Structure formats: structure tokens, C-alpha cells
Amino acid sequence: MTATEATEVERARAAIEEHMLAQADSVGELLEQFKGRIPAALIDGAGWNRLVERANSLPISLATSGFGFEFRLHEAEPSADLGVALFQGSPSAMHFKQWAQSQPEDSYAAAVVDLLREMERDRISLHGIAHAKLLLEYDIDPEPFPDPGIFLYPSADLPGEVQTTEDLSDITDAVVGACGWAPDTDERRHAERLFEAKPPSAHVGTVGGFPGRARALRVGITHLKNTAELTSFLKRAGWPGRCEDVAPFVGDLESQNAFDYLAAHLDVDADGVRPELGVSYYPPSAQWLKDIQPWANLIDGLGASGLAVPEKMAAIAESWVGTEAVFGRRGMMLAVRGIHHFKTTLIGDRVEAVKAYVFCWLSGGFTP
């Protein structure tokens, strides 16, 4: 994407955000308008009630650029965690800053505002090496609700941009500060080791942390081409798990042409790389797909593993992806639903967790 194209995207997004800011007062109110489009197998009952309770406390500015769900496909309960984004310099970011001023008890809101300001400064090291977007991940369990996870997206796909170890250090320092943690040179060095261990064609896709969980930086290394490149990276990175426990599962999916590339998600702290491993799977086309066909082989492969609840896999395949008109507070909206990626998690010597990360993007002012 050229600089001119990026500017046009920002202008179009700002116009949509301005319209969407009037569609609801909270994220929960917006979700209520969308409830009939969510299969009950994925979110329902107590899970839905907890989600709305969580979202009712969040300003609408967090959902004007869309929202996402994390579906735990390996669990029978129909519940989901919530993901929302902010773009620095956007109308929604300004709205969020104003909202945060009225929430002095929410320390994370102030931390997010500080991070947005840091991203906007012309000479700050984050400017130009972090995408304009930051992501907030809200867990709906346990109660009381913990502060959200905070994730940044190091740039790697704009003309002339090359990631460096120094870039990653700046990103990790920013995340550490936003999470309210003290700087730790050992933790930073272990994160840098992941960057140094990645193959040349891969890059750091995300860096984040969860203030409400045990301290660790979560680093996502994306665009790993295949199973062999994944396991080679894990060995160089000092991952303490057994690659022979990873290779068969991922290799089976690869043999079924179930993905185009992979991402490895690793947690690091002052002691090194932790044993839990997340592996994400992406199709050949763009991530924000509105067609289920590119996901068919992966859905079949994950379903055949016996790890996922069949009803949830069927709901994803049959009911999630698509585009439709939705009536909102200020008239018609266009709702676009799709899948961002699937992820499996290795715990010990077994692949035990299967998750789908899906999105819904709403555009106001649509005329059918």
C-alpha cells in the first residue's frame, strides 16, 4: 500500500467512524443490535449475558472500526471474549480520550490514552514502526473482569520499512509501560531473541501483554511458510517444548492444504520463553475474508482432529461469514462478517485448545 492509498483509507475510515459514533452509546448496545446474527452455538445464555455486561462498560468508540470475538471451539459453553481496536489520530481515538477522562478509576484507560499519545508524537520511536492500530482484548471470565490485553502491531508491509531489533525493543517497552509493569532487561532480551531467530521472510506481527494475568510479553511471529520452518524457528528461539509434539498435528493440516502460512505466539518473561505455544493458521488470500471457501480445508482438518465441538465448527462454517443489512439506531448498517484466523494451543505435550478469531465490521449510512 502506498502512502497515498494509506491516506485515502484513513479518510474513509474516519468518515465511517464519525457515523458509527452515533449508532450507540456503548459497545454493549451495539452488540445487542447485532445479537440475532450470532449463532446460539457460539454465544448464548450466560456467555452472552457476561459479554454484554462487559461491553456495556465500554464506550462505542471502541467498536466503530469493527469488533471481534475469540471463540473457544474446544469448549461446549457458548461464550466468547471480545476484541476491539483503536487507530491513533482517529475520531474514535479522540472520543475514547474524552471518555477516559471521566473514568479516573480505570487505570488501564489512562494507560491506553498515554499509549495513543506516544504513538502520535512525531519524533517518538513508535512513530513509523508501529501500525496506527492498537488492539484491546477483553476477557469475560473471571469476575471481576480483568483489565484488557493490549497489543501493538509493528510495521512490516509498507514501502521502505524494515524491522530491526531496536524497533522491537521500543515496541516492547511501550507495551510494558501500558501494562503498568517495570522495565526488565532480561525480559526484553528474550523477546529480542525471538526476533533474531525468525527466518528472513517472517516478521513480528504483534507484541502485547495482559495486565490482568501473570506477567509475560506475548510475541507473534508471522508468515512462517510451513511446518519445517515453524519447528526450526522454535528450536532457534529456545522454546522449551518438544517440536516432535507440534510437527505431526501441523504437518497433517499442511498435507491437506489447510493453510498458506503460519504464525507462532510465544510468551516470554525474565526467565525466558514459556512452554505454552499458540500456532495460528492463515489462508492464501487476505486475512479479512468474506468467503468461507478458503477456510474449508482447515475447518475440515480441525474438525477431524476431534478437538473442536462439532456444533461450533458447523456454526462457523455455515453461519458466520457473509454480508447483510442490519437496522441500527440511525438507520441501516452494512454488516460484514468473516474469519481472521484459527489458532491451536499446545499445552504440555498435547494440542488441547482450538480457537477461531472472527470479526464483524459495521458501516453506517448504507442504502440497500
Side-chain angles (χ1 to χ4, degrees):
M1 182 184 296
T2 67
T4 300
E5 290 171 334
T7 299
E8 290 302 315
V9 169
E10 290 177 3
R11 289 175 178 170
R13 184 171 60 230
I16 292 172
E17 287 186 14
E18 291 282 8
H19 188 92
M20 290 301 299
L21 285 171
Q23 287 289 352
D25 294 322
S26 69
V27 178
E29 183 182 339
L30 186 66
L31 291 181
E32 290 279 17
Q33 298 176 37
F34 192 70
K35 185 179 188 301
R37 274 73 182 178
I38 303 177
L42 297 174
I43 313 177
D44 199 19
W48 172 259
N49 294 336
R50 290 196 304 272
L51 176 67
V52 172
E53 180 185 356
R54 183 63 155 137
N56 278 339
S57 66
L58 307 179
I60 185 58
S61 47
L62 288 178
T64 57
S65 296
F67 52 86
F69 297 124
E70 176 188 310
F71 294 135
R72 294 180 290 276
L73 302 178
H74 56 287
E75 297 179 354
E77 182 186 9
S79 64
D81 293 329
L82 176 69
V84 292
L86 280 173
F87 291 83
Q88 60 95 352
S90 69
S92 293
M94 180 61 68
H95 182 281
F96 181 84
K97 291 175 185 177
Q98 294 170 349
W99 172 82
Q101 291 176 352
S102 66
Q103 307 293 319
E105 70 280 5
D106 286 339
S107 59
Y108 90 85
V112 171
V113 169
D114 289 344
L115 186 54
L116 286 168
R117 288 173 178 157
E118 189 174 353
M119 294 169 70
E120 292 168 2
R121 292 178 192 149
D122 286 342
R123 298 188 60 82
I124 198 69
S125 57
L126 282 184
H127 186 81
I129 62 171
H131 277 319
K133 181 175 73 170
L134 69 84
L135 179 73
L136 300 176
E137 292 192 10
Y138 289 87
D139 294 338
I140 66 165
D141 287 313
E143 294 187 43
F145 299 126
D147 287 345
I150 301 172
F151 285 80
L152 291 178
Y153 293 75
S155 300
D157 59 358
L158 297 180
E161 290 184 332
V162 178
Q163 289 183 331
T164 68
T165 306
E166 291 74 21
D167 292 341
L168 179 60
S169 296
D170 289 336
I171 294 290
T172 57
D173 288 348
V175 170
V176 165
C179 289
W181 301 331
D184 190 300
T185 55
D186 291 333
E187 179 182 70
R188 183 204 283 184
R189 178 61 194 140
H190 290 305
E192 291 172 351
R193 183 180 180 183
L194 299 185
F195 176 83
E196 294 163 355
K198 70 177 183 62
S201 59
H203 63 262
V204 179
T206 58
V207 179
F210 291 89
R213 304 183 190 177
R215 174 171 177 163
L217 284 170
R218 178 160 296 176
V219 181
I221 305 295
T222 190
H223 285 83
L224 299 166
K225 297 176 182 176
N226 49 43
T227 308
E229 192 163 83
L230 168 67
T231 54
S232 295
F233 160 71
L234 292 174
K235 291 175 182 177
R236 291 192 303 272
W239 179 58
R242 294 171 7 121
C243 289
E244 53 267 37
D245 295 327
V246 180
F249 184 88
V250 179
D252 282 347
L253 294 175
E254 182 179 347
S255 68
Q256 299 172 53
N257 296 315
F259 60 85
D260 186 60
Y261 66 93
L262 304 162
H265 307 272
L266 295 165
D267 289 345
V268 299
D269 57 22
D271 296 324
V273 182
R274 292 186 177 178
E276 184 172 296
L277 167 68
V279 179
S280 291
Y281 309 86
Y282 297 89
S285 305
Q287 295 178 18
W288 300 93
L289 289 169
K290 297 171 291 193
D291 180 9
I292 198 63
Q293 188 55 41
W295 299 100
N297 289 346
L298 182 56
I299 289 174
D300 289 344
L302 292 174
S305 72
L307 297 172
V309 177
E311 291 78 9
K312 286 191 171 185
M313 293 298 289
I316 289 283
E318 298 170 4
S319 307
W320 189 260
V321 176
T323 303
E324 62 182 323
V326 179
F327 285 100
R329 175 199 281 181
R330 295 298 179 90
M332 193 79 74
M333 297 183 289
L334 182 67
V336 180
R337 290 178 294 174
I339 302 169
H340 189 268
H341 67 278
F342 286 87
K343 185 171 80 170
T344 56
T345 303
L346 190 80
I347 303 173
D349 61 353
R350 289 177 52 84
V351 177
E352 295 189 355
V354 180
K355 298 179 180 180
Y357 292 78
V358 306
F359 68 91
C360 179
W361 179 77
L362 297 174
S363 175
F366 168 68
T367 302

